[in-house]
Amino acid sequence: MDEHALRVLEFDKVLGRLAALTSFSAGRDLALALRPASDFDEVLGRQRRLSESIRLRESRTPLSLTSASDVRLAVEKAALGGTLDTRDLLAIADTQRVAHQ
C-alpha cells in the first residue's frame, strides 16, 4: 500500500490510537512502525497474534507489564561487548520475567 493511500485512510491516526494503548516506549515504537502486510504468511501470523491477544483479554488473565522496561539500549550495549551496570541487569531480568509470564 502506498503512502498516499495510507494518508487518505488516516492510518497515522489509527497507529496513534494503538500507540496510546501501549505500556512503554518499546511497544509504542513497534505500534507506530506498523505497516499493512501483503505477504499471506505475515497476515496469518498477525491474525493469530491478534486472536491470542483477544483471548487473553477476554479471559481476564492478569497481565501486568509494570515491571517491564525498555531495555533495548542495554541489550545492544551487551551485544557489542559492553559491560552493564546493576540497574541495567535488573531491568533486563524484570523485563524477561514479564515476557516469560
Side-chain angles (χ1 to χ4, degrees), residues 69-84:
S69 57
D70 188 352
V71 295
R72 291 177 290 180
L73 290 177
V75 170
E76 184 178 314
K77 180 179 177 180
L80 294 172
T83 303
L84 302 180

Side-chain angles (χ1 to χ4, degrees), residues 22 34-35 75 77 83 97:
T22 62
L34 281 173
R35 292 294 177 260
V75 170
K77 180 179 177 180
T83 303
R97 270 192 290 281

Side-chain angles (χ1 to χ4, degrees), residues 42-84:
E42 174 66 21
V43 171
L44 286 179
R46 289 181 182 187
Q47 287 178 336
R48 281 193 294 274
R49 289 190 298 273
L50 176 61
S51 294
E52 179 66 18
S53 298
I54 291 169
R55 274 194 300 279
L56 280 171
R57 185 178 181 138
E58 289 174 347
S59 73
R60 305 245 187 248
T61 302
L63 179 63
S64 173
L65 300 177
T66 56
S67 60
S69 57
D70 188 352
V71 295
R72 291 177 290 180
L73 290 177
V75 170
E76 184 178 314
K77 180 179 177 180
L80 294 172
T83 303
L84 302 180

Side-chain angles (χ1 to χ4, degrees), residues 4 10 18 25 29 38 49 53 62-63 92 99:
H4 174 71
E10 297 184 332
L18 176 63
S25 59
D29 291 347
S38 58
R49 289 190 298 273
S53 298
L63 179 63
I92 290 170

